[in-house]
Amino acid sequence: MSIVDNGGWPMLGKQRRISGVAVAAAFGTLALLTGCGSTPAAGKHGAKPTGSRATATGSPSSSVSPADLKPIQGQQLRHYLLTADDLGPGYTQTATPDVEKAADPHRYDDMGVSGCPALKELGKHSDEVQFAAKTAAGFTFGADSTLGEELHSDSPSKLSAGLRRLMHAQTSCPTYTMTSGSTPLTVTVRKEDAPGPGPDAYAYTTTLTGPGGSQVLKTAAVRRSNVLVMLVGAPALVDRHIEAAMAKLPAS
């Protein structure tokens, strides 16, 4: 499951809290499309970096080429998460970075998307955008602003290909409809300037409109080496902290 989750419909209007539906819309991840997100998979990918493959912080040793980098797992990956101290005064952490405990795989069974073939196609090939390891954190700022962060780790080539496919699917439909139960939510997506140089940096804004009003979220995603960072939340907060999130990633 993805980051900060209130377990239900977005709280539209004055309180802009990221719920499960809003996160799925902003990330376009598998929480909605397949009922599961990327999870640590040591058995599938073989594992935590050991020996000459990585240093104690997950950085590659000088003898390892970028193509050979292994996924960073557990506490090593959490090392790259933003903290409330990184963000500054006024921020409170609201979500634990420990997402290795599986969420209910059926909690999104009543959610669906229509009007965006690319997202539906992505759901048919979900394994192509599931990565070996993941961790997350969420923060609130003031009374009604929220910022969430996800980190994923895998080989650089798999992260690059998966992120490219994910971003293409999410931004290929300017407007589509998402439903939770029988309640429709109109989703409008707009591409934004990439938050950094290179091919593996993306940003877009998502406007979710439902019976109670509208909610605007921004998503920024950047890959560095074998770690991918995604920030989602109030556009001003994402813009303010994406550089700090990128600065904590391992060197390319």
Side-chain angles (χ1 to χ4, degrees), residues 203-227:
Y204 60 90
T205 300
T206 308
T207 303
L208 304 102
T209 304
S214 295
Q215 180 179 16
V216 180
L217 301 172
K218 184 169 184 177
T219 300
V222 179
R223 179 195 68 84
R224 291 287 185 271
S225 188
N226 57 343
V227 179

Side-chain angles (χ1 to χ4, degrees), residues 1-2 20 23-24 28-37 108 111:
M1 136 103 230
S2 290
V23 167
T29 57
L30 308 177
L32 172 64
L33 299 173
T34 65
C36 63
Y108 295 110
M111 297 181 187

Side-chain angles (χ1 to χ4, degrees), residues 8 51 84 129-130 152 193 221 234 237 244:
V129 288
Q130 289 190 42
H152 300 265
D193 292 337
L237 298 187

Side-chain angles (χ1 to χ4, degrees), residues 39-48 71 73 131-133:
T39 57
K44 179 179 178 182
H45 286 265
K48 299 180 180 181
Q73 304 274 0
F131 304 122

